[in-house]
Amino acid sequence: MRYNENMSSRTSGFTLLEVILVIAIIALIIVSYPLTFNLKNQVGKGQDTQRKNDLTRLKSSLEDFYNDNERYPTPDEICFDSNGQTTCNICGKVETPAEFAEYLPVLPCDPEYASKTYLYHVDNVTHPSWYRIYTKLSNAADPASAASGCTHGCGLGPFYDYSWGVSSPNIDLERNTQYCSSYTNLYVLQGGLCNNCGNLANCENLYGNTTTYYTDPGGAGQQGCVIDCVH
């Protein structure tokens, strides 16, 4: 059989052109990755802006409902999956119950539905006197999450897997208290002064379980408290 030098050369390794093409593809991937990552971040920020706007609109409409009915909507008046529980999910892409259409013709829906929805929580299913609505932000470091005390999670325990929310004026969001319980020294802000109240159990005994506690006194303990322990 005649020895084919070209075939031997072709099967013994990559040609120079193939090596150049591989290097070019790798370089293109490296260059495009930051652009793709930044685009994803921008999309996430846009989604979070929509979530905040949605919950703000809901909050306004819920107060209108309360003014007319002296109660907040029951789960079956605002949710698409009401099942007799005090928690349910809101999404206008699925359904806007007729009872609430007068106040908001089309209910908002999370931009990442169906993997995410807005959680509605009330104190009872017949005559709610308060409500909480939670959402999961795309950007875990969004300042709004820290401002609402949800840095370490809000929502129903034991998971506290929401990062922002709104509530009726007579109740606050439910926050992850486990973060507080890991500290032996907590602080409470009173009259501009940051006072040490001890561990979580002692602080709750002194000030109740609706007070915001802090992990850092700030200013050598003379004024202000700087890190909310999410209570």
Side-chain angles (χ1 to χ4, degrees), residues 82-124:
S82 174
N83 56 4
Q85 303 298 314
T86 55
T87 58
C88 55
N89 295 281
I90 297 173
C91 178
K93 291 182 179 179
V94 180
E95 180 183 5
T96 298
E99 294 84 352
F100 201 70
E102 175 185 348
Y103 300 90
L104 201 60
V106 178
L107 288 168
C109 189
D110 191 282
E112 291 187 87
Y113 174 81
S115 61
K116 294 182 181 180
T117 55
Y118 299 136
L119 181 72
Y120 185 63
H121 181 205
V122 293
D123 52 331
N124 66 75

Side-chain angles (χ1 to χ4, degrees), residues 102-176:
E102 175 185 348
Y103 300 90
L104 201 60
V106 178
L107 288 168
C109 189
D110 191 282
E112 291 187 87
Y113 174 81
S115 61
K116 294 182 181 180
T117 55
Y118 299 136
L119 181 72
Y120 185 63
H121 181 205
V122 293
D123 52 331
N124 66 75
V125 298
T126 58
H127 199 277
S129 63
W130 56 256
Y131 72 85
R132 296 167 172 141
I133 307 176
Y134 298 103
T135 183
K136 297 178 182 179
L137 300 178
S138 295
N139 177 18
D142 192 304
S145 181
S148 64
C150 295
T151 302
H152 296 273
C154 282
L156 279 68
F159 302 109
Y160 303 102
D161 52 357
Y162 293 86
S163 52
W164 193 71
V166 296
S167 64
S168 55
N170 58 341
I171 194 99
D172 202 355
L173 299 176
E174 185 175 354
R175 302 183 178 94
N176 183 0

